[in-house]
């Protein structure tokens, strides 16, 4: 009787193979994007207007975290706008919490540090109503670090065709974002790009 071949998902090589499969592909727009972000005056610093935009995004979609995320170069993503529902939650009668859902606002552009890199590569909105249903994303470090179970994101594509980054919202519970959520985040992404370009023209 012929020996049974090993299961393709078994063995030490399988983890390497799976990780290679999940790594975000090379980013051919990285250099062009960096130049475009500079031209638009977008830098690695918090922006109160973008924080307000993230708050409104969370309000419209019902997510507990929301962000405006720019891809500064081939290695880093930066949340210039960030909102956490914890900011609006008093603790024992004290002031509202003000905590980023990740340490600081800078994250590596890495498969283990977020889902937005996939949205940038896809150039399309992404809806994950329950991340646990999607093996490609369920093992992401941010999923465990923040305890999120749902994701909704859309690319920020400017008038020159460059993907500047993303807007996204996540929640700690599965969320039926559905078509309404998809349409909302796509419309808000287009709205934000228009605002960024208009602001650059006024400078």
């Amino acid at each position: 009787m012929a020996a049974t071949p090993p299961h393709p998902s078994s063995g030490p090589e399988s983890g390497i193979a799976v990780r290679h499969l999940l790594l975000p592909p090379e980013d051919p727009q990285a250099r062009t994007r960096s130049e475009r972000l500079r031209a638009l005056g977008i830098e690695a610093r918090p922006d109160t207007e973008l924080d307000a935009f993230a708050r409104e995004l969370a309000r419209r979609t019902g997510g507990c975290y929301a962000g405006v995320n720019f891809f500064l170069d081939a290695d880093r993503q930066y949340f210039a706008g960030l909102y956490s529902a914890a900011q609006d939650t008093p603790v024992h009668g004290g002031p509202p919490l003000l905590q980023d859902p990740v340490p600081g606002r800078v994250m590596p552009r890495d498969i283990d540090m977020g889902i937005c890199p996939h949205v940038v590569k896809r150039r399309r909105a992404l809806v994950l109503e329950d991340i646990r249903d999607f093996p490609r994303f369920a093992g992401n470090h941010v999923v465990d670090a923040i305890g999120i179970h749902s994701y909704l994101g859309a690319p920020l594509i400017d008038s020159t065709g460059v993907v500047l980054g993303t807007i996204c919202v996540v929640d700690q519970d599965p969320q039926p974002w559905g078509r309404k959520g998809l349409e909302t985040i796509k419309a808000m992404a287009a709205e934000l790009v228009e605002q960024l370009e208009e602001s650059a023209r006024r400078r």
Side-chain angles (χ1 to χ4, degrees):
M1 179 181 295
T4 302
H7 191 278
S9 62
S10 63
E13 295 83 2
S14 62
I16 298 173
V18 169
R19 179 173 174 80
H20 178 74
L21 174 66
L22 303 187
L23 282 172
E26 291 298 320
D27 183 1
Q29 281 198 325
R31 188 170 184 176
T32 303
R33 179 182 304 111
S34 295
E35 295 172 353
R36 183 64 175 146
L37 289 171
R38 284 195 297 271
L40 292 171
I42 297 170
E43 302 176 6
R45 64 185 181 205
D47 186 309
T48 56
E49 291 186 5
L50 293 179
D51 283 345
F53 182 94
R55 178 189 293 268
E56 178 64 12
L57 175 60
R59 187 192 71 80
R60 292 195 198 179
T61 59
C64 61
Y65 301 125
V68 178
N69 183 17
F70 296 114
F71 282 59
L72 301 175
D73 50 41
D75 303 311
R76 297 177 301 155
Q77 45 184 320
Y78 183 78
F79 287 88
L82 196 60
Y83 170 76
S84 166
Q87 294 171 224
D88 298 328
T89 305
V91 179
H92 303 300
L97 291 175
L98 182 58
Q99 292 182 327
D100 293 346
V102 294
R105 292 182 180 237
V106 178
M107 290 171 55
R109 180 190 173 272
D110 184 274
I111 183 59
D112 289 333
M113 291 299 292
I115 300 171
C116 288
H118 295 279
V119 174
V120 169
K121 179 60 182 178
R122 287 160 48 97
R123 299 175 64 92
R124 298 199 310 274
L126 176 64
V127 181
L128 304 175
E129 296 187 344
D130 190 335
I131 294 175
R132 294 167 297 185
D133 292 337
F134 299 86
R136 179 168 189 166
F137 303 106
N140 195 286
H141 170 73
V142 176
V143 173
D144 293 330
I146 308 175
I148 64 171
H149 284 147
S150 54
Y151 172 94
L152 177 65
L156 296 169
I157 304 177
D158 75 356
S159 59
T160 70
V162 173
V163 183
L164 305 173
T166 66
I167 59 172
C168 64
V169 59
V170 300
D171 200 87
Q172 293 175 321
D173 297 309
Q175 289 291 338
W177 306 116
R179 180 171 295 277
K180 180 179 179 181
L182 182 63
E183 291 175 351
T184 296
I185 201 163
K186 288 169 66 176
M188 291 191 71
E191 173 187 324
L192 180 56
V193 169
E194 184 176 345
Q195 291 175 8
L196 294 172
E197 294 189 325
E198 177 60 27
S199 178
R201 284 192 292 268
R202 291 198 304 265
R203 289 204 318 271

